[in-house]
Amino acid sequence: MANIDYLLRPATEADYQYCYDLTKQNMFELFCRHWGGWNPSAFRNDFNARNTTIIIVDEQQIGYFSLKKIDTDLVYLENIQLLPEVQGQGIGTAILEGIFRNNAFCSIHLTTFLDNPALRLYKSLGFVITERDGATVYMERKSKIE
């Protein structure tokens, strides 16, 4: 894979609208299909700028991710969203590999849908489904020490 040049910066509350809009753009159809619709207040309640990092390529915001440290050996990937026009170019893989390096001794968990196109990426990077609830799947990537 080619080396992807990207920058990361901590999010601020001013990034809320960007993250909201991008997540809605990417996930609206899946949320409607599986959870009966988009819930703006749920996103507002879950958004925490302290856990969120903005992804920048060529001086343009192209996405974000949010990580929540659960304990010393467990991290929850709350969200990773990229602009549709940059998906499939290796950026998601590069970002996730960076998250793995920075959390090498942590298991990483995430939740997604069975029909989310990103599921294939997660599986290719070592995530396994640990639980299924309808179309919702819970995934884990074990730490290097397990």
Side-chain angles (χ1 to χ4, degrees), residues 18 58 120:
Y18 172 79
D58 294 330
R120 192 175 81 225

Side-chain angles (χ1 to χ4, degrees), residues 22-116:
L22 181 56
T23 304
K24 185 175 181 182
Q25 176 183 5
N26 287 346
M27 301 299 292
F28 182 82
E29 186 178 308
L30 288 167
F31 276 60
C32 288
R33 184 179 313 136
H34 300 298
W35 289 351
W38 177 259
N39 185 341
S41 62
F43 189 88
R44 175 72 259 178
N45 292 338
D46 291 343
F47 181 78
N48 183 339
R50 290 187 307 273
N51 297 342
T52 304
T53 302
I54 303 296
I55 306 163
I56 300 167
V57 172
D58 294 330
E59 300 181 20
Q60 298 293 317
Q61 290 184 167
I62 56 98
Y64 78 96
F65 64 88
S66 56
L67 286 176
K68 184 176 185 180
K69 188 86 163 176
I70 304 298
D71 61 37
T72 57
D73 61 354
L74 177 61
V75 173
Y76 183 70
L77 178 60
E78 296 176 306
N79 223 324
I80 180 167
Q81 299 293 331
L82 295 174
L83 292 171
E85 58 266 27
V86 303
Q87 293 174 14
Q89 298 178 19
I91 296 168
T93 298
I95 295 297
L96 287 166
E97 287 174 345
I99 290 170
F100 301 156
R101 278 190 306 277
N102 292 332
N103 297 280
F105 299 105
C106 295
S107 291
I108 300 174
H109 291 205
L110 62 82
T111 306
T112 193
F113 296 111
L114 274 174
D115 55 346
N116 183 342

Side-chain angles (χ1 to χ4, degrees), residues 34-35 111-114 129 131-138:
H34 300 298
W35 289 351
T111 306
T112 193
F113 296 111
L114 274 174
I129 296 174
E131 189 179 335
R132 181 177 170 184
D133 182 8
T136 302
V137 291
Y138 303 88

